[in-house]
Structure formats: C-alpha cells, structure tokens
C-alpha cells in the first residue's frame, strides 16, 4: 500500500522537525505533502514543490496519516493524526500561556 502522509504545521520552527520525517517517508516509497494553516508556516514551505495551498487541496489529497507539530488538526481532515512532540515551549512565539507548570 502507498500511504499518503501529510506534514501539517503552523509555524516555521516546525520545518526542521518535518524535514527528517519527509526524508524517511520518501525513502520508504510513500507519498508526502506539506500544509501550513497560518502565514508564518505558509511562508516557510512556499518553496517546497509538495506543499498544498488550501484546505480544499488537503481534503482532495485525503491523507492516510497526518504528522503534526501543532496543537490541533481539524477533525474533518482524513487520516490518523499523530502529534510529533518537539520539546518544551522555548518562546517560539509570544504567549502568556505556559505549556508546563512546575
């Protein structure tokens, strides 16, 4: 079976998280596309030839597996959703919310 993967990001910091995943997915002969839901991520993947532009593109692609470094993925996107843990909140973006409490 040729699984279709989607790497779903929001922010540009997720690119170095997704690139090794993309390489391994391609090495195994599967299909992989990228999608970003906000402008920062869209700018980060704009040069990729396998970036999907709109949510309708994602729906048409019908991924089997969604790998994400975001906090949420819309439930209407097909596929098994897997959040890739990428470490502690290191002030990647301004926020008053703390991910962990000590």
């Amino acid at each position: 079976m040729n699984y279709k993967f989607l790497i779903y990001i929001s922010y540009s910091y997720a690119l170095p998280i997704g690139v090794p995943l993309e390489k391994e997915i391609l090495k195994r002969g599967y299909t992989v596309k990228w999608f970003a839901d906000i402008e920062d991520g869209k700018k980060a993947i704009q040069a990729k030839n396998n970036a999907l532009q709109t949510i309708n593109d994602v729906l048409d692609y019908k991924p089997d597996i969604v790998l994400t470094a975001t906090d949420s993925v819309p439930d209407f996107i097909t596929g098994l959703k897997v959040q890739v843990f990428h470490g502690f909140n290191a002030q990647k973006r301004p926020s008053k919310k703390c991910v962990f409490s000590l």
Side-chain angles (χ1 to χ4, degrees), residues 52-89:
L52 300 173
Q53 302 302 312
T54 68
I55 196 67
N56 285 333
D57 293 339
V58 172
L59 297 175
D60 290 343
Y61 177 56
K62 297 180 184 159
D64 298 302
I65 301 160
V66 180
L67 303 174
T68 185
T70 64
D71 293 331
S72 63
V73 173
D75 62 356
F76 55 81
I77 295 175
T78 61
L80 174 70
K81 280 85 172 166
V82 179
Q83 185 176 30
V84 179
F85 183 72
H86 55 278
F88 295 101
N89 180 6

Side-chain angles (χ1 to χ4, degrees), residues 8-14 35-42 68-72 93:
Y8 186 109
I9 69 168
S10 291
Y11 293 95
S12 57
Y13 73 79
F35 180 72
D37 60 357
I38 67 168
E39 197 56 38
D40 181 63
K42 289 176 191 230
T68 185
T70 64
D71 293 331
S72 63
R93 59 189 179 273

